[in-house]
């Protein structure tokens, strides 16, 4: 069986033709699905024979809701979803004044091995397909009854390690017949898979690229991010310059501040030097402490000091508000807890 959410309109047009159906049926089916009718029997403008054909070939891959966690302090909700093969992923919905955002996962687990991140602890299980990533948005909207207007690819997984599916996902959610989410409302976060940043730049999508830099030198970066052994910061910054030239988009650099690792005044100065004259913004994130790791967040005043140095040296930056930390909203923590509980029960 094939997940119909993996099909864009063109794919479904072709399928209809190959199966002796009129092409316009494809648009009808897609309209039902994106209007959240997830039962072929309820697609009342299709002949019964077409519905039967669809049913014998496709399933509509909406995941099962395992758990929903609501944060008490802010408008953050976390969802644990299970796909047909039993894979569990998490996604987070955040309500802001300017709209509702969702943080989606692109892989089950992750193979990048960042020391501060819970998603990577068990390695990668598999890639998610485009339709499986879309399903996170559809399912969340159907539960909250709120339209998602912003998407961040910052859940479990490395989107550029699942490149084809991620690009197809970005394409479908942008379409009128899909979720009609403008590319400028989408942020793709990567630990810096350099060749893929060049490929992405060549597509000239208007999405925001966020780079998980988290360090001011290669040596410092290697302490927490294995990918630093493969690509240097210089190579990443070169690829970012190419991205900016191609797309004219400002890049976001994420910098999770970890006590005694990357939070010194020296690090702040080095970071400012690296990013000098680049069209960018730095997002400072007090590291979210993960049970399995001993990395600690710096004291508030040190975070502020770090931010001030960047500002003084002309680097745009903000300290990220910690949303939903009472519900383990940090990457992968929820899935991790869930898997741990299952293991304990077995
Ligand atoms: N693989 C992608 C996207 C997923 S992670 C990437 O590396 O960018 C989304 C962001 O959360 C990344 O910047 C990641 O480094 C950061 N992150 C992961 N665990 C964290 C933690 N415990 N505290 C703070 N930030 C964390």
């Amino acid at each position: 069986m094939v997940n119909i959410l993996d099909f864009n309109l063109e794919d479904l047009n072709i399928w209809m033709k190959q199966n002796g159906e009129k092409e316009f049926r494809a648009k009808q089916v897609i309209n039902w699905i994106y209007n959240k009718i997830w039962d072929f029997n309820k697609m009342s403008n299709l002949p019964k024979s077409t519905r039967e054909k669809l049913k014998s070939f496709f399933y509509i891959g909406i995941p099962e809701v395992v758990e929903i966690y609501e944060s008490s302090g802010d408008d953050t909700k976390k969802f644990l979803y299970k796909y047909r093969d039993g894979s569990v992923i998490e996604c987070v919905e955040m309500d802001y004044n300017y709209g509702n955002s969702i943080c989606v996962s692109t892989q089950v687990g992750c193979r990048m091995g960042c020391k501060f991140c819970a998603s990577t602890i068990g390695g990668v299980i598999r890639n998610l397909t485009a339709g499986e990533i879309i399903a996170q948005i559809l399912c969340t909207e159907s539960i909250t009854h709120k339209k998602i207007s912003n998407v961040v690819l910052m859940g479990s997984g490395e989107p550029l390690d699942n490149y084809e599916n991620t690009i197809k996902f970005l394409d479908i959610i942008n379409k009128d017949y899909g979720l009609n989410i403008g590319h400028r409302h989408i942020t793709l976060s990567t630990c810096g898979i350099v060749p893929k940043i060049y490929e992405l730049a060549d597509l000239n999508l208007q999405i925001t690229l966020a780079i998980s830099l988290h360090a001011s030198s290669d040596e410092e970066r290697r302490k927490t991010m294995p990918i630093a052994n493969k690509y240097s910061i210089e190579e990443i910054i070169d690829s970012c310059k190419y991205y900016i030239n191609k797309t004219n988009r400002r890049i976001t650099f994420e910098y999770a501040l970890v006590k005694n690792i990357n939070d010194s005044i020296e690090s702040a100065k080095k970071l400012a030097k690296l990013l000098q004259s680049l069209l960018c913004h730095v997002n400072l994130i007090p590291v979210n402490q993960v049970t399995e790791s001993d990395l600690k967040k710096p004291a508030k005043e040190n975070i502020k000091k770090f931010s001030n140095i960047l500002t003084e040296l002309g680097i745009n930056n903000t300290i990220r508000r910690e949303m939903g930390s009472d519900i383990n909203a940090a990457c992968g923590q929820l899935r991790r807890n869930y898997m741990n509980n299952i293991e304990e029960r077995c």
Side-chain angles (χ1 to χ4, degrees):
M1 294 285 268
V2 173
N3 182 0
I4 200 163
L5 297 178
D6 284 327
F7 273 44
N8 60 23
L9 185 58
E10 294 84 71
D11 297 333
L12 204 53
N13 279 337
I14 293 169
W15 186 89
M16 287 293 175
K17 258 198 266 176
Q18 284 173 345
N19 286 276
E21 296 288 336
K22 299 260 170 29
E23 217 181 273
F24 73 89
R25 297 286 178 209
K27 189 70 190 293
Q28 289 180 317
V29 173
I30 291 239
N31 283 344
W32 283 116
I33 288 173
Y34 285 92
N35 281 303
K36 307 199 175 60
I37 299 300
W38 298 326
D39 178 351
F40 290 119
N41 293 326
K42 293 191 178 146
M43 301 185 178
S44 54
N45 56 359
L46 301 179
K48 187 154 191 290
S49 58
T50 314
R51 282 185 256 150
E52 291 306 318
K53 260 188 224 172
L54 286 163
K55 273 187 334 201
S56 65
F57 192 82
F58 291 113
Y59 67 95
I60 305 172
I62 300 297
E64 181 192 323
V65 183
V66 178
E67 208 109 41
I68 303 174
Y69 303 81
E70 291 193 41
S71 174
S72 53
D74 50 50
D75 289 324
T76 306
K77 281 193 194 68
K78 193 138 190 180
F79 301 87
L80 212 50
Y81 292 142
K82 190 191 270 180
Y83 295 105
R84 273 160 74 104
D85 68 340
S87 296
V88 172
I89 58 97
E90 57 194 79
C91 94
V92 187
E93 195 246 5
M94 295 149 287
D95 296 345
Y96 294 110
N97 297 334
Y98 55 81
N100 303 311
S101 295
I102 191 167
C103 171
V104 294
S105 292
T106 53
Q107 296 179 313
V108 185
C110 183
R111 66 186 181 114
M112 294 300 134
C114 302
K115 284 230 174 85
F116 42 77
C117 182
S119 302
T120 199
I121 292 169
V124 71
I125 310 293
R126 67 174 179 87
N127 284 334
L128 292 177
T129 66
E132 286 174 323
I133 311 173
I134 294 168
Q136 295 170 41
I137 306 182
L138 286 174
C139 198
T140 303
E141 281 190 344
S142 81
I143 295 167
T144 61
H145 302 290
K146 288 179 189 160
K147 169 96 184 97
I148 297 287
S149 50
N150 298 282
V151 177
V152 296
L153 285 76
M154 287 193 187
S156 305
E158 167 50 54
L160 298 187
D161 189 38
N162 182 16
Y163 187 78
E164 301 300 329
N165 290 326
T166 296
I167 299 303
K168 191 164 193 185
F169 161 75
L170 295 175
D171 179 54
I172 298 178
I173 62 166
N174 179 239
K175 289 282 193 301
D176 294 346
Y177 67 74
L179 292 162
N180 206 3
I181 299 173
H183 276 160
R184 284 168 181 262
H185 296 270
I186 300 173
T187 300
L188 184 153
S189 178
T190 175
C191 63
I193 317 270
V194 168
K196 294 293 177 194
I197 296 176
Y198 283 101
E199 262 187 66
L200 187 66
D202 284 336
L203 296 180
N204 197 3
L205 307 177
Q206 286 297 295
I207 59 171
T208 299
L209 180 65
I211 304 284
S212 299
L213 194 62
H214 305 321
S216 64
S217 69
D218 289 322
E219 194 195 344
E220 197 174 271
R221 201 164 192 253
R222 283 194 288 265
K223 286 185 193 162
T224 55
M225 299 181 72
I227 193 73
N229 296 307
K230 191 146 186 203
Y231 304 109
S232 66
I233 293 182
E234 193 184 343
E235 287 172 302
I236 293 176
I237 297 214
D238 283 347
S239 70
C240 288
K241 286 182 182 155
Y242 185 83
Y243 189 90
I244 295 166
N245 277 337
K246 280 273 168 174
T247 63
N248 222 2
R249 300 285 294 159
R250 186 177 84 164
I251 304 240
T252 299
F253 287 95
E254 289 157 281
Y255 197 101
L257 283 156
V258 188
K259 191 175 171 182
N260 298 335
I261 301 266
N262 64 2
D263 64 336
S264 67
I265 291 174
E266 204 39 48
S267 294
K269 287 182 181 164
K270 276 201 232 158
L271 180 64
K273 191 147 186 249
L274 280 176
L275 303 182
Q276 228 172 30
S277 71
L278 207 64
L279 181 63
C280 72
H281 181 90
V282 176
N283 227 334
L284 296 171
I285 314 151
V287 77
N288 229 314
Q289 280 159 226
V290 172
T291 325
E292 288 85 346
S293 110
D294 53 5
L295 303 174
K296 298 263 177 305
K297 64 178 79 172
K300 275 217 168 70
E301 56 273 22
N302 290 352
I303 296 172
K304 194 83 197 87
K305 207 184 281 171
F306 197 96
S307 164
N308 288 343
I309 295 168
L310 291 184
T311 308
E312 278 160 25
L313 296 172
I315 306 292
N316 256 317
N317 70 92
T318 39
I319 300 172
R320 192 194 282 172
R321 192 154 64 97
E322 289 174 82
M323 287 180 84
S325 43
D326 60 325
I327 51 164
N328 282 325
C331 283
Q333 283 190 51
L334 205 65
R335 172 172 171 268
R336 188 81 209 135
N337 288 352
Y338 174 77
M339 302 307 273
N340 282 346
N341 286 341
I342 295 231
E343 276 162 26
E344 271 165 29
R345 268 183 246 145
C346 289

